[in-house]
Amino acid sequence: MKDAGSASTVVERDGKQKSGSSSLNRYNAIAKRFSGFALISGIGWCLDFLTMATLTQSGLPVFWANFIGAFCGVTFVFFVAGKHIFEKAGNRSTTVLLALYWIWQIVAVTAASALTAGLSWALMSLLVTVDGTAFVAGLGLKPVTLCGVTAKMLVTPFTLVANFFFMRFLLEHRKSD
């Protein structure tokens, strides 16, 4: 029986594996880091979501409202997760890393905004088909706002996973096992 302190079962507190650790422990460490990233991203998503909903309710099209809200959220996540979840590798400046992250986000957010707008349109069509627009309007929401934020909720899990792996790629050197 292995003791709890053996090298093959120990993962350091910051998620790094000590030599000889098992693949299962490595995946558990990644899952733990992903959980922390998801929590930070959840806060960034709330900032993003509230910005998007406010802008959509004010009349801005879903695509642009999502684009602006997303950049508020991802910038927050870059700084907080970069400090608390990922280990900055190399001598690249934070400005360069942020610029690279924003380039990634221009592509990712544009794709997510287009998908969100498309899903929003489909949901709006469904809402019109079932005569639900009057009900939604009676709640004080514009139907496009409800459809836009619902579409955003459907797209978010995919962007969360993609952003975690991109930040990991951007900020950390891959360690050889």
Side-chain angles (χ1 to χ4, degrees), residues 20-118:
S21 64
S22 71
S23 293
L24 180 59
N25 285 338
R26 188 170 40 252
Y27 292 121
N28 286 338
I30 290 171
K32 182 179 177 184
R33 290 174 67 206
F34 180 78
S35 296
F37 179 79
L39 178 65
I40 292 166
S41 292
I43 295 167
W45 188 79
C46 288
L47 173 64
D48 169 1
F49 186 86
L50 291 172
T51 303
M52 182 215 178
T54 301
L55 292 172
T56 304
Q57 189 71 6
S58 299
L60 196 65
V62 170
F63 178 90
W64 291 110
N66 186 68
F67 196 86
I68 293 166
F71 265 86
C72 292
V74 300
T75 301
F76 168 82
V77 170
F78 175 83
F79 284 106
V80 177
K83 181 176 181 174
H84 297 287
I85 303 297
F86 300 101
E87 293 177 39
K88 183 178 165 190
N91 293 327
R92 292 181 290 179
S93 74
T94 300
T95 304
V96 170
L97 293 171
L98 180 60
L100 292 171
Y101 189 65
W102 276 346
I103 291 167
W104 155 256
Q105 289 301 335
I106 287 170
V107 173
V109 170
T110 300
S113 294
L115 182 56
T116 300

Side-chain angles (χ1 to χ4, degrees), residues 123-136:
L123 292 170
M124 187 68 179
S125 297
L126 181 62
L127 192 62
V128 167
T129 301
V130 299
D131 292 328
T133 55
F135 174 76
V136 172

